[in-house]
Amino acid sequence: MKSAMQAHSRLAPEQLLAAQQQVLEQVARAAPLFDTLTAISRYSEASIPTMMASILVFDDATQSLRKGGYGRLPATFAAAVDGMVPGPATGSCGTAAFRRERVISEDVRIDPLWGAFREFAASYGIQSAWSSPIIGSDGRLLGVFGMYYGDCRAPTADDLSFVDHFVHLAAVAIERHRVDTDRDHQATHDSLTGLGNRRKLERTVARLAADPATKPLCIAVLDLDHFKMHNENLGHRIADMLLQDVGARIAATAGVDDLPIRFGGDQFVLLTPSSNDSMHGRFSRLITSFEQPFEVDGIRVRLSVSAGIVEWNPHTTDFETGLYQAEQACIAAKERGRDRWVAFGAEDRQVVVERRRVGRVLADAIAAQKVLAHLQPIVDLATGAPVGFEMLARLVDPPSGVIMPSVFIPIAEESSLIDALGMSVFRSTCQLLASAGPQFDGLTANVNVSIRQLMRDGFPKAAAAAAAEFGVAPSRLCLEITESQWLDGDGPARSALLELKALGFRLALDDFGTGYASLSLLQSVPFDVVKIDRSFTASLGDNGRGTALCEAALRMAAACGMRVTAEGVETQEQADLLRVMGCQQGQGYLWSRPLPSADAIAWIEKRQAQPVY
Ligand code: C2E
Ligand code: MG
Ligand code: MG
């Protein structure tokens, strides 16, 4: 008995085997699916003279059949069939996909399944069609293998087993492709929101930058406002659901050419074709799409978003720079009150160049251990005797002189430099205390700690270890935390403060009155000292308002058992008023500006010998 292959094949069995091997090699190499399916179509056509083969691939997302591979059939046929949705009477391929079983149309001119497609079939000279669904090992539909003839014919059992041979090869190829695409999808998409992730962004950017035809684009950095607080209040599970909804809302406002990315945490990036005219409407729509409250797990949440946008030309600017500029614009949007978008402008470019320069000077100074700290004395308002001093970081930049903290601290905080900077000042403080004479024994050294630094895992232990290394008792160090940086939801920062307190450090709440967390903070963290911000000191005596605020702060601090230091005392009148009001300590130009350590030590020693009052 002749085998099916021998009966129909123009190819000798060894040729067929070689063909099969080639296809499997293509599959193993992960060649483009279209190429592999085209090769399978061609081999099947070579095996059965007069047959025309087509392989359609089922797309789960659209539930439609997409162009797979073709042999002799013209491209117009492929294009016409592409996107067909399987149905109960959609030619032999559509119907085979719909029924998930083989469909044999011996004569398409009379077969009712071909009703709507009869003319189409006739225009390609098709008279009979055999279609087999391609089913994966897990039973899912992968596609359809179609064979078309110019005459009317029915398959023999041998024909069918021969067809199955190619259907099986096609199944292997499509399944392998699916595994690859799924893996790729997982690697390039965020599992929570389903949006693209950083890797997707990197790949897209690399592709766009390599293509000379790419037109300028717009990079938008979107940052949810106060999300940290929502995260704490709602709990992580609901906050995650909220993020999913946010992702969906951003995706819904995105156009077909936009690439929405979850960049991390509550930050998203949108890459969109740039057109100056449409940007205004485009981003205003995005911001206002957040006006509608979110509803998660029965809870209504109002959220807003701030966005920074910049036009990016991949042929002239690297992506990192573009992204940095968009981030700067986003920071500006936050500073201007959040819930808005800000475009990065030409004048901002200068600012960015300068910020980057300062960032480099800072990084170099930290690496070379050349960050300086000036000391500003803190005095007892009743006696005028020094009780301690504050360490204030200074950055020496040979061409431009000294760079002040108001310039470099925000830059350090945006990057991880703040940790190294803070630790550098902390260590030099310990060193100073360790090497100073006995006259410093009763003095407290105040060191500023950024909230970001405080939030880092292990900061309290690292601080205790550094103090121990220099043999300095933690009680001689007072860590100042700025109130205005505080957010209500800063649980980890609060725990870090409690840990520092337990380790023996003193704590001060800096710039008191400039934030909005005062009451809850004072209640939940045992600060030793509250430092009234210098803006209140400055308005003392002016119109009674400053005085009222200072009095209120003093009463609150007293009720919590904390001492008060007034910052920015510049006149004797201010010092007198504060003393009368019951404020214990002062710091300001009246006594001394921040000084290099040798000068400050000399000042303190002189003052200890001879207090003014
Ligand atoms: P701060 O901790 O509130 O420090 C007091 C600031 O007020 C200092 O500014 C000081 O020079 C200034 N000042 C003191 N007395 C007077 C006065 O009588 N009049 C006026 N107009 N100003 C006075 P500085 O040194 O520029 O520091 C600014 C801020 O930078 C500090 O505010 C602090 O928040 C931050 N900072 C400084 N050093 C560090 C550091 O090592 N780490 C961190 N995280 N922040 C630091
Ligand atoms: Mg301070
Ligand atoms: Mg302050």
Side-chain angles (χ1 to χ4, degrees):
M1 197 182 108
K2 284 201 256 175
S3 79
M5 284 186 202
Q6 283 162 340
H8 295 277
S9 177
R10 268 192 193 163
L11 301 175
E14 59 276 12
Q15 283 177 304
L16 190 65
L17 216 61
Q20 177 180 329
Q21 212 165 356
Q22 266 182 20
V23 168
L24 291 176
E25 266 169 27
Q26 270 180 283
V27 171
R29 254 193 294 120
L33 184 62
F34 177 77
D35 294 354
T36 311
L37 296 182
T38 298
I40 296 173
S41 306
R42 295 234 161 92
Y43 289 131
S44 67
E45 286 176 347
S47 314
I48 309 179
T50 78
M51 191 266 280
M52 296 179 287
S54 98
I55 302 175
L56 294 167
V57 177
F58 186 64
D59 176 30
D60 280 319
T62 57
Q63 293 286 300
S64 66
L65 292 166
R66 308 304 308 260
K67 192 169 100 168
Y70 288 82
R72 291 192 196 107
L73 280 163
T76 50
F77 182 94
V81 179
D82 190 33
M84 187 215 294
V85 177
T90 45
S92 56
C93 276
T95 313
F98 182 76
R99 294 184 189 160
R100 284 166 169 59
E101 63 183 35
R102 199 188 317 266
V103 169
I104 306 291
S105 294
E106 286 178 34
D107 189 345
V108 302
R109 291 167 304 182
I110 53 168
D111 190 327
L113 296 183
W114 279 85
F117 304 94
R118 237 185 282 288
E119 270 181 38
F120 174 72
S123 68
Y124 289 94
I126 295 169
Q127 288 205 7
S128 61
W130 314 340
S131 295
S132 307
I134 305 169
I135 306 288
S137 48
D138 57 359
R140 282 197 306 170
L141 179 70
L142 300 176
V144 200
F145 196 114
M147 293 179 157
Y148 305 96
Y149 296 91
D151 52 1
C152 292
R153 61 166 84 185
T156 62
D158 281 353
D159 285 335
L160 292 181
S161 77
F162 188 77
V163 168
D164 286 345
H165 173 79
F166 289 104
V167 168
H168 181 67
L169 270 184
V172 171
I174 300 173
E175 216 159 28
R176 161 71 202 258
H177 178 75
R178 279 206 176 175
V179 170
D180 285 350
T181 341
D182 284 355
R183 194 179 299 138
D184 193 60
H185 191 271
Q186 269 175 21
T188 54
H189 287 76
D190 169 48
S191 56
L192 183 67
T193 60
L195 298 180
N197 61 14
R198 276 173 189 242
R199 188 178 290 187
K200 171 89 180 166
L201 182 65
E202 279 163 17
R203 277 198 202 171
T204 311
V205 160
R207 184 171 48 72
L208 291 168
D211 182 354
T214 302
K215 300 217 169 64
L217 296 140
C218 170
I219 305 170
V221 167
L222 315 170
D223 197 287
L224 301 180
D225 298 327
H226 299 305
F227 191 75
K228 212 161 174 301
M229 189 179 72
H230 289 294
N231 208 5
E232 292 258 327
N233 292 346
L234 297 169
H236 288 287
R237 188 182 67 84
I238 299 184
D240 274 359
M241 289 159 73
L242 185 58
L243 278 173
Q244 278 174 338
D245 289 358
V246 166
R249 204 168 281 191
I250 291 173
T253 64
V256 274
D257 295 326
D258 293 350
L259 179 69
I261 294 286
R262 174 151 181 239
F263 200 62
D266 61 343
Q267 215 178 49
F268 297 81
V269 166
L270 192 70
L271 206 58
T272 171
S274 167
S275 113
N276 282 338
D277 313 336
S278 60
M279 280 307 130
H280 193 273
R282 168 90 187 65
F283 285 98
S284 301
R285 262 199 312 285
L286 184 96
I287 302 292
T288 46
S289 77
F290 276 70
E291 278 173 5
Q292 179 77 15
F294 289 82
E295 188 112 22
V296 275
D297 215 24
I299 305 170
R300 288 192 123 207
V301 185
R302 286 196 177 277
L303 258 189
S304 63
V305 64
S306 300
I309 66 171
V310 68
E311 194 185 80
W312 173 58
N313 183 344
H315 308 304
T316 58
T317 317
D318 64 286
F319 181 72
E320 287 310 310
T321 303
L323 188 65
Y324 182 77
Q325 293 172 340
E327 279 169 348
Q328 295 305 309
C330 185
I331 291 169
K334 299 255 179 204
E335 283 167 0
R336 288 180 208 173
R338 302 183 163 85
D339 193 15
R340 68 196 60 223
W341 62 273
V342 166
F344 186 84
E347 65 283 10
D348 300 320
R349 277 174 219 277
Q350 284 307 317
V351 175
V352 164
V353 168
E354 177 58 11
R355 283 175 84 100
R356 287 202 144 178
R357 190 187 72 82
V358 171
R360 277 195 301 274
V361 173
L362 180 60
D364 291 348
I366 292 171
Q369 299 190 324
K370 284 196 171 149
V371 177
L372 289 183
H374 281 186
L375 279 67
Q376 187 177 31
I378 299 172
V379 301
D380 182 330
L381 280 177
T383 65
V387 292
F389 51 89
E390 178 171 4
M391 299 292 277
L392 295 158
R394 297 288 180 267
L395 195 55
V396 181
D397 176 33
S400 61
V402 175
I403 306 177
M404 295 301 279
S406 56
V407 176
F408 66 80
I409 294 286
I411 296 171
E413 284 190 325
E414 264 173 39
S415 61
S416 50
L417 287 176
I418 192 68
D419 296 313
L421 169 71
M423 208 24 101
S424 154
V425 175
F426 186 87
R427 290 178 69 85
S428 34
T429 311
C430 293
Q431 192 171 30
L432 187 105
L433 287 176
S435 58
Q439 67 279 26
F440 263 55
D441 281 356
L443 301 185
T444 306
N446 286 30
V447 185
N448 293 284
V449 176
S450 147
I451 200 109
R452 276 165 215 237
Q453 205 187 340
L454 190 67
M455 304 266 276
R456 288 263 192 263
D457 274 353
F459 172 74
K461 289 194 180 59
E469 188 187 325
F470 289 96
V472 172
S475 59
R476 298 190 63 197
L477 291 153
C478 178
L479 305 182
E480 296 193 3
I481 314 298
T482 301
E483 194 212 26
S484 60
Q485 286 189 346
W486 198 272
L487 274 179
D488 237 359
D490 280 331
R494 183 170 286 133
S495 330
L497 285 178
L498 296 178
E499 194 181 341
L500 284 165
K501 183 79 190 167
L503 286 164
F505 290 101
R506 289 170 195 250
L507 302 177
L509 182 58
D510 203 356
D511 304 338
F512 183 74
T514 56
Y516 51 87
S518 318
L519 277 173
S520 66
L521 248 188
L522 286 182
Q523 269 173 351
S524 62
V525 178
F527 287 104
D528 298 272
V529 177
V530 169
K531 297 185 79 176
I532 297 182
D533 188 65
R534 67 167 184 264
S535 57
F536 296 107
T537 309
S539 59
L540 265 180
D542 272 2
N543 52 17
R545 205 170 137 259
T547 315
L549 281 165
C550 284
E551 274 175 344
L554 281 162
R555 265 202 305 277
M556 249 161 51
C560 299
M562 299 165 187
R563 273 179 309 140
V564 175
T565 302
E567 299 188 281
V569 181
E570 294 186 358
T571 66
Q572 191 60 51
E573 190 198 355
Q574 288 167 346
D576 292 343
L577 270 171
L578 286 159
R579 193 179 52 243
V580 170
M581 282 157 65
C583 180
Q584 297 91 350
Q585 297 173 172
Q587 176 181 352
Y589 296 170
L590 171 64
W591 297 285
S592 167
R593 288 185 174 254
L595 298 169
S597 58
D599 298 346
I601 290 170
W603 188 95
I604 288 170
E605 285 174 352
K606 191 167 153 228
R607 192 78 179 196
Q608 277 175 329
Q610 210 175 22
V612 173
Y613 44 75

